[in-house]
Amino acid sequence: MKPLFFAISLLFTWQSIASDETAQKAEPQTKAEQETKSEQKTEKSVPALEFIEGNTTATHTDARALKTDQQTTTEQAVNNPQEPVTTETAQPKVVAEEQKAAAQVDDSKVLGTQTPVPAEKPKTAQAKQEAVAEAEKAVNQAKEALTAKQQEKARQSRESMAVIEQVIAAYNARNIEAFIKMYDENVEFYAFPNELMFTGKEKLIARYGIMFKKLKCIKSSPIKRIVLGNIVIDHELSETCSQDPNVVDKRSEFVTSYQIENGKITKVLFFR
């Protein structure tokens, strides 16, 4: 029995020793593997650092290149202002040049800002005589033009007044034919300010023809007359006889404006 127990004990002892040796051998391998893995991680981390350093170097290089391009573009804009500049750094300079050009705009032609330039004085007696002669000529031409205009206006005024004189004479004579002869075919009669009473000779005949037959006497006398070209304004006194031609039974004052064109009355305006 004892020999059997001794054999079993010896077996367990041998197995325990074998397990310790196996553990000792396995432990160095594990450390070696850990060292190997650590070296591998270190090797992998080195390229990453190099990559970062390379990017930093490239970034600084690009910044220097960009700054150099901007300086070159600015120099080109200064040396060649006519060439278009596309970079943002050159825009403030272009705006400044435009503002400077706007400030230098010539405003001497604005009304009220002109500086009168004195006329050159004649240097010789002959030049002085020529200048005086030219000035007198200009004055005479202006007078002639004004005189011609005034003469035309005076002629027109005389003709207009003659037409009104004939109308009043025909009115006082109650001669309807001579009266309507002085009016245009499309004459217009208005009551102040712009009320149209009637137009045309037919209505003129109907209105004044009946009045001429009905009344025994009619007399229109101008109190005051204003004539300006083709416009005649009469302040008139009107007297009529309804029963006896020698007895005036109605008197009234009124103002009448006549417009004359080509010897005919074209427009009449009554101020009542």
Side-chain angles (χ1 to χ4, degrees), residues 1-12:
M1 191 68 180
K2 288 181 179 181
L4 180 60
F5 180 77
F6 178 76
I8 293 172
S9 298
L10 184 62
L11 179 62
F12 278 107

Side-chain angles (χ1 to χ4, degrees), residues 149-200:
K149 189 175 182 179
Q150 290 175 341
Q151 289 177 352
E152 175 62 23
K153 184 70 73 173
R155 181 193 64 78
Q156 195 176 30
S157 298
R158 289 193 299 269
E159 292 180 354
S160 299
M161 189 166 57
V163 170
I164 300 305
E165 289 288 349
Q166 295 180 46
V167 167
I168 291 177
Y171 179 83
N172 291 340
R174 293 180 293 161
N175 186 342
I176 190 64
E177 288 79 10
F179 181 76
I180 64 174
K181 184 179 179 181
M182 306 310 299
Y183 287 88
D184 185 77
E185 292 291 336
N186 299 315
V187 62
E188 298 177 348
F189 281 76
Y190 289 88
F192 181 83
N194 56 2
E195 180 185 351
L196 181 62
M197 299 171 62
F198 62 89
T199 60

Side-chain angles (χ1 to χ4, degrees), residues 61-250:
T61 303
D62 294 340
R64 288 194 297 271
L66 179 59
K67 185 175 181 180
T68 303
D69 293 340
Q70 291 177 350
Q71 291 177 353
T72 303
T73 305
T74 305
E75 292 176 357
Q76 290 178 356
V78 174
N79 297 330
N80 301 318
Q82 296 181 352
E83 295 182 359
V85 181
T86 56
T87 59
E88 295 180 357
T89 55
Q91 289 180 357
K93 185 172 184 63
V94 174
V95 173
E97 291 179 355
E98 291 178 354
Q99 292 176 352
K100 183 178 179 182
Q104 295 177 353
V105 173
D106 183 13
D107 60 350
S108 61
K109 295 183 180 180
V110 179
L111 183 62
T113 62
Q114 299 94 330
T115 302
V117 179
E120 295 182 0
K121 295 182 179 181
K123 297 181 179 180
T124 62
Q126 183 179 359
K128 183 176 181 180
Q129 291 178 356
E130 292 177 356
V132 171
E134 290 180 0
E136 290 179 351
K137 183 179 179 181
V139 171
N140 291 331
Q141 289 177 349
K143 287 182 178 179
E144 290 175 0
L146 181 61
T147 302
K149 189 175 182 179
Q150 290 175 341
Q151 289 177 352
E152 175 62 23
K153 184 70 73 173
R155 181 193 64 78
Q156 195 176 30
S157 298
R158 289 193 299 269
E159 292 180 354
S160 299
M161 189 166 57
V163 170
I164 300 305
E165 289 288 349
Q166 295 180 46
V167 167
I168 291 177
Y171 179 83
N172 291 340
R174 293 180 293 161
N175 186 342
I176 190 64
E177 288 79 10
F179 181 76
I180 64 174
K181 184 179 179 181
M182 306 310 299
Y183 287 88
D184 185 77
E185 292 291 336
N186 299 315
V187 62
E188 298 177 348
F189 281 76
Y190 289 88
F192 181 83
N194 56 2
E195 180 185 351
L196 181 62
M197 299 171 62
F198 62 89
T199 60
K201 276 189 174 182
E202 292 183 0
K203 292 186 179 180
L204 176 65
I205 294 171
R207 183 184 182 92
Y208 283 88
I210 294 174
M211 184 176 66
F212 288 169
K213 291 180 179 180
K214 181 179 179 180
L215 296 175
K216 302 302 180 180
C217 74
I218 300 176
K219 185 178 182 180
S220 176
S221 304
I223 299 173
K224 186 176 181 179
R225 175 172 290 169
I226 299 174
V227 183
L228 181 62
N230 67 331
I231 301 296
V232 179
I233 300 174
D234 267 358
H235 177 196
E236 304 175 27
L237 172 64
S238 177
E239 300 175 328
T240 59
C241 308
S242 59
Q243 300 296 329
D244 189 341
N246 298 319
V247 178
V248 176
D249 52 18
K250 185 177 180 181

Side-chain angles (χ1 to χ4, degrees), residues 8-79:
I8 293 172
S9 298
L10 184 62
L11 179 62
F12 278 107
T13 301
W14 182 80
Q15 288 180 351
S16 176
I17 293 170
S19 298
D20 291 339
E21 291 178 355
T22 303
Q24 290 177 359
K25 291 180 180 180
E27 186 175 358
Q29 291 178 355
T30 304
K31 290 181 179 180
E33 291 177 357
Q34 290 178 355
E35 290 177 357
T36 303
K37 291 181 180 181
S38 177
E39 291 176 358
Q40 291 177 354
K41 288 182 180 181
T42 304
E43 291 176 357
K44 290 181 179 180
S45 62
V46 171
L49 180 60
E50 291 176 355
F51 177 76
I52 293 172
E53 291 177 353
N55 287 344
T56 304
T57 305
T59 302
H60 288 299
T61 303
D62 294 340
R64 288 194 297 271
L66 179 59
K67 185 175 181 180
T68 303
D69 293 340
Q70 291 177 350
Q71 291 177 353
T72 303
T73 305
T74 305
E75 292 176 357
Q76 290 178 356
V78 174
N79 297 330

